[in-house]
Amino acid sequence: VETFDMMPLSDAVESSLVLRPAPAPPIPVLYEDDELLVVDKPPHLPVNPEAERELSLLEKVREQCAAPELAPLHRLDAGTSGVCLFAKRRAAVSELAARLAAGQKHYWALVRGGLRAKGIVRAPLRDAGKTRPAITRYTLLARLAGHALARVRPEHGRTHQVRKHMAAIGHPLLGDARYGDAASNRYFEHRYGLDRPFLHCGRIELAPRDGAPALAFECALAPDLAQVLAQLRAA
C-alpha cells in the first residue's frame, strides 16, 4: 500500500493498493479409491467442458489428481456446489453409475416463501428431448426471514429437476435466474451477495456392491451459502 496526498488542503490521505490474483486453491478431495474419486465442487464451475467457459471441474481434477481417464458419474449445474463423483477408469463407469442411480442424493436449498414441513412433488419433466417421470421429496429444515431452508431429495436425475420442481409448487430457489423470482433474486444479491442459485449437494449415498457396505459422502455447505444463512439468522 502506498499513501499519497491528492488534496493537500484536506484532512484526508489517499492510498493506492495493487491486488494480484493468487493461484486457485486445489479442489477438495472427499474420498478416493482405485475406481472412485469424490470431490467437493465449488460454485461457478461446470462439471464438463463448455465452449463459453475457460475451465471445467473435470479438467481441473484430471490435472490435479493425474487421472487422464477420469469421467463424471453425474452432473451438477455450474452454479451448484457440493459432492460430485467421478470414475477413475472408464471400465468402472457403468457399475458406479448404476450404484449411483440406485442410491440417494440430498440437496440443501433456500427457497422463496414459506414451505410445508414436508412434501412430495410428482411432475414429469422434459429431459433429453423426452417427457420423463420425476419425483422430488423435500423436508423443511428452518424458516428464515419469511423464506425456507429445505433438504431436497430427487428420486430421479432429470435436468434441473430440483429447480424446476420447487418453482412448480411456488417456492423457487433464491438466486435462480432461470426459474426463480427476479425481484427476490435482486434483493438477495444486493443484500446478501447471493449470485447463484442457493443449491448445494450435501450428501450422496451409493448403493452397496455385493458383499460390501454402502458408501456415503458428505460435505459442508459452501462458504458463500453459509454466509447468506448467517446473515439471515442475524437479521
Side-chain angles (χ1 to χ4, degrees):
V1 178
E2 295 184 4
T3 58
F4 57 95
D5 196 357
M6 181 180 290
M7 294 172 284
L9 300 182
S10 72
D11 293 333
V13 176
E14 287 67 44
S15 300
S16 173
L17 176 64
V18 177
L19 300 176
R20 295 182 177 86
I27 302 296
V29 175
L30 304 174
Y31 175 86
E32 183 176 5
D33 61 24
D34 292 340
E35 296 182 342
L36 180 65
L37 181 69
V38 184
V39 303
D40 182 356
K41 176 189 173 297
H44 307 299
L45 187 66
V47 172
N48 293 305
E50 296 179 359
E52 65 273 18
R53 296 179 185 266
E54 182 178 357
L55 287 174
S56 70
L57 181 66
L58 176 61
E59 293 167 316
K60 288 177 68 69
V61 177
R62 273 180 176 172
E63 181 179 359
Q64 176 181 314
C65 299
E69 290 190 39
L70 200 71
L73 294 173
H74 63 117
R75 188 178 70 87
L76 297 178
D77 295 334
T80 302
S81 54
V83 181
C84 192
L85 277 59
F86 293 89
K88 294 178 68 176
R89 298 183 295 108
R90 293 186 180 93
V93 169
S94 179
E95 182 200 354
L96 288 172
R99 293 172 63 193
L100 178 60
Q104 293 185 1
K105 299 176 187 175
H106 301 260
Y107 291 83
W108 277 253
L110 185 66
V111 302
R112 182 175 182 267
L115 195 65
R116 294 187 301 172
K118 58 183 177 180
I120 304 174
V121 184
R122 293 183 175 92
L125 297 173
R126 294 285 292 178
D127 190 19
K130 296 182 180 180
T131 300
R132 305 174 186 272
I135 297 175
T136 300
R137 301 177 184 270
Y138 66 83
T139 302
L140 176 68
L141 297 177
R143 301 187 190 278
L144 301 165
H147 302 293
L149 178 67
R151 182 174 66 246
V152 184
R153 182 168 64 83
E155 292 191 359
H156 303 85
R158 312 304 181 209
T159 301
H160 299 171
Q161 178 171 328
V162 171
R163 295 163 62 189
K164 288 179 178 178
H165 271 179
M166 299 311 292
I169 61 172
H171 299 291
L173 270 63
L174 291 166
D176 190 340
R178 185 164 184 174
Y179 306 106
D181 179 76
S184 297
N185 292 345
R186 285 193 299 270
Y187 175 78
F188 267 76
E189 183 170 15
H190 174 75
R191 181 70 176 81
Y192 303 111
L194 181 63
D195 61 353
R196 63 173 175 111
F198 194 115
L199 188 62
H200 179 82
C201 184
R203 178 181 173 91
I204 288 182
E205 301 165 11
L206 274 185
R209 175 188 287 162
D210 290 343
L215 293 175
F217 314 102
E218 295 184 349
C219 66
L221 194 64
D224 61 327
L225 303 186
Q227 181 62 27
V228 172
L229 293 187
Q231 292 182 75
L232 286 172
R233 289 180 173 126

